[in-house]
Amino acid sequence: MPFAEASPIYMYFSLPRWDSSSKQQAASSSPLGTVLTRTERDQMATKVVSASPRVEILAKSGINEIPTEYVRPESERLDLGDAFEEMKKAAEGPQIPVVDLQGFDSPDEEVRRACVEEVRKAATEWGVMHIVNHGIPLELIEQLRKAGKEFFDLPIEQKEQYANDQSSGKIQGYGSKLANNASGQLEWEDYFFHLIFPEEKINISIWPKQPTDYIEVTKKFARQLRAVVTKMLEVLSLGLGLEEGKLDRELGGMEDLLMQLKINYYPICPQPDLALGVEAHTDISALSFILHNMVPGLQIYYGSRWVTAKCVPDSIIMHVGDCLEILSNGKYKSILHRGLVNKEKVRISWAVFCEPPKDKIVLKPLEELVADGTPAKFPPRTFEQHIQHKLFRKTRGDFKTPN
């Protein structure tokens, strides 16, 4: 597959953890490329049904059993379940940390340091956190949710006007996951994907025209979220003992750090114990931010088990991605995660991936973090090379080490 066809949809939602030596990957769901045996297929608890090109159509067709293309391998189904039921079970177990960002704006230096320490600990131990008092007006977040829902409420024919074409490299727009692994497994979701920041690099012509406020609301949200990105990178820099602006500059700064939005639409699923909305993966980004419609589904792999995220009101979920794990020399963890589905309510999430430019920047552990003789855990690579490493299992010997 030519690199131009290496869709970010694959990058973020179809790849297992990129560090092949990771214990998390070994304990995660089946690796990319798993092939179902005849026995496994015979044992699947569904009949063969032709998969619909859009999951929404399939879900609304009245089926009671999902097509085999959406059924996970038997070994992966051992710990799958309805998202609502899994959230109830998780109530007594470990919980994703909740971090209050208000402390970072305090004039009291001790309060600021305490906030930095909270973020550092969450990024180090979990690689994910709920952030509250983030500074984005809650009214704007509700407008964003409303606009996204109204787009997906449109008739399929209208949404298809924005359909992407991954085979030709047109990756922005409305779509569903293509089968890009040997078993042909699909995910129980449709999506809309597009760049939202920097504004001078976006292509408004492919953004939804309906609802009429979609463009205005999304642009406002992007500007507000970029301020949160700046703040989080400052806090994370200080958590590594660096000066505030270090990580933002290393990732491209205001001009080159890209923010890609993927609105995920997970229809009601008649057999949530057999399917996944998003299979287990780590994000290739530096940071990822997630909003949702207060329907559960996110699971994090932590402490050798899957932990179901609670729905924390007025919060944004923030993940550490691969790029930040590389820059921090493994101090911050790119967390393995996946998405469950349910048989009661449609789930919609808004995921924003913050990524560096593909060729301008070399990703490698920061010099300040290896200056004392600590070995670098990751070889230098550009963002594009990292993508190819994850997509095609290319190793260090498959490309020249950048200068």
Side-chain angles (χ1 to χ4, degrees):
M1 178 170 67
F3 180 72
E5 296 178 19
S7 159
I9 307 310
Y10 292 159
M11 297 175 202
Y12 292 112
F13 294 92
S14 304
L15 299 172
R17 185 171 177 83
W18 60 280
D19 179 2
S20 60
S21 64
S22 169
K23 293 180 181 179
Q24 286 185 342
Q25 183 183 28
S28 74
S29 304
S30 61
L32 187 68
T34 298
V35 179
L36 297 181
T37 65
R38 183 181 299 275
T39 301
E40 281 182 307
R41 287 196 176 275
D42 289 344
Q43 289 177 343
M44 283 182 176
T46 60
K47 61 186 177 183
V48 176
V49 182
S50 296
S52 166
R54 301 294 179 219
V55 180
E56 179 187 358
I57 295 174
L58 192 61
K60 290 180 177 178
S61 68
I63 62 169
N64 295 317
E65 297 175 317
I66 63 174
T68 54
E69 292 91 338
Y70 294 90
V71 177
R72 311 308 299 181
E74 186 175 4
S75 59
E76 195 175 338
R77 301 201 303 265
L78 298 175
D79 54 6
L80 290 184
D82 185 287
F84 283 103
E85 294 301 318
E86 294 302 314
M87 187 171 69
K88 291 176 185 176
K89 294 177 187 177
E92 298 179 0
Q95 303 294 329
I96 295 172
V98 178
V99 174
D100 189 338
L101 285 187
Q102 195 168 31
F104 190 64
D105 296 322
S106 172
D108 187 328
E109 189 59 33
E110 188 173 332
V111 174
R112 275 174 55 89
R113 283 198 300 267
C115 178
V116 170
E117 176 57 22
E118 273 193 85
V119 171
R120 185 205 64 78
K121 185 177 180 181
T124 301
E125 297 180 2
W126 281 81
V128 63
M129 64 198 79
H130 298 278
I131 56 175
V132 295
N133 289 320
H134 40 70
I136 301 180
L138 300 181
E139 180 183 2
L140 177 58
I141 289 176
E142 285 307 311
Q143 291 172 346
L144 183 81
R145 286 173 171 151
K146 180 174 178 287
K149 180 181 182 300
E150 287 182 359
F151 171 77
F152 278 98
D153 284 345
L154 293 173
I156 290 286
E157 308 80 61
Q158 281 186 254
K159 293 196 286 278
E160 289 292 354
Q161 295 174 16
Y162 301 96
N164 61 13
D165 181 6
Q166 295 183 36
S167 64
S168 67
K170 181 188 174 186
I171 58 177
Q172 298 192 73
Y174 173 61
S176 305
K177 181 192 170 184
L178 302 179
N180 68 315
N181 53 35
S183 65
Q185 294 163 350
L186 299 175
E187 295 167 333
W188 195 261
E189 70 153 341
D190 299 323
Y191 61 80
F192 197 98
F193 177 84
H194 63 94
L195 179 70
I196 60 171
F197 197 89
E199 284 192 22
E200 61 270 18
K201 297 182 180 181
I202 63 178
N203 181 3
I204 290 291
S205 68
I206 65 171
W207 289 28
K209 307 301 184 292
Q210 296 292 329
T212 54
D213 63 346
Y214 181 93
I215 292 175
E216 179 185 0
V217 167
T218 304
K219 288 175 74 171
K220 284 182 180 178
F221 173 74
R223 294 185 204 114
Q224 292 276 343
L225 184 61
R226 185 57 176 89
V228 177
V229 173
T230 299
K231 180 181 288 188
M232 289 308 303
L233 290 174
E234 288 176 352
V235 176
L236 289 161
S237 292
L238 292 172
L240 292 171
L242 308 170
E243 55 99 0
E244 282 188 3
K246 180 67 173 180
L247 286 174
D248 205 335
R249 289 196 303 274
E250 290 291 331
L251 292 165
M254 195 63 71
E255 292 184 1
D256 289 322
L257 180 66
L258 303 179
M259 291 167 49
Q260 312 267 16
L261 170 65
K262 183 168 179 271
I263 308 176
N264 302 292
Y265 181 87
Y266 306 104
I268 291 170
C269 180
Q271 294 178 298
D273 55 331
L274 299 180
L276 280 171
V278 177
E279 61 192 23
H281 66 287
T282 63
D283 291 345
I284 61 167
S285 58
L287 294 176
S288 302
F289 293 83
I290 302 174
L291 289 167
H292 53 76
N293 62 342
M294 298 301 287
V295 175
L298 175 66
Q299 281 194 321
I300 304 299
Y301 196 76
Y302 175 81
S304 300
R305 59 178 286 188
W306 287 105
V307 175
T308 305
K310 288 184 176 181
C311 296
V312 178
D314 304 334
S315 71
I316 300 176
I317 298 169
M318 192 202 78
H319 288 276
V320 171
D322 295 351
C323 293
L324 192 53
E325 181 171 4
I326 293 171
L327 293 178
S328 70
N329 201 31
K331 292 182 183 297
Y332 295 149
K333 308 301 182 188
S334 183
I335 188 70
L336 190 72
H337 56 288
R338 68 183 186 182
L340 300 182
V341 290
N342 74 85
K343 59 173 65 174
E344 298 177 38
K345 294 183 179 180
V346 169
R347 182 173 190 258
I348 306 176
S349 68
W350 289 256
V352 178
F353 307 104
C354 305
E355 59 185 45
K358 287 184 178 177
D359 296 310
K360 280 187 179 181
I361 292 170
V362 176
L363 296 170
K364 60 182 179 180
L366 296 174
E367 291 182 6
E368 294 92 329
L369 304 181
V370 295
D372 61 354
T374 300
K377 296 181 179 180
F378 309 100
R381 64 185 64 178
T382 64
F383 185 53
E384 181 171 4
Q385 288 172 336
H386 180 60
I387 293 167
Q388 293 206 20
H389 172 72
K390 287 193 77 168
L391 281 174
F392 310 118
R393 286 294 184 268
K394 290 192 174 183
T395 63
R396 187 173 185 177
D398 291 326
F399 49 72
K400 293 181 180 179
T401 300
N403 297 321

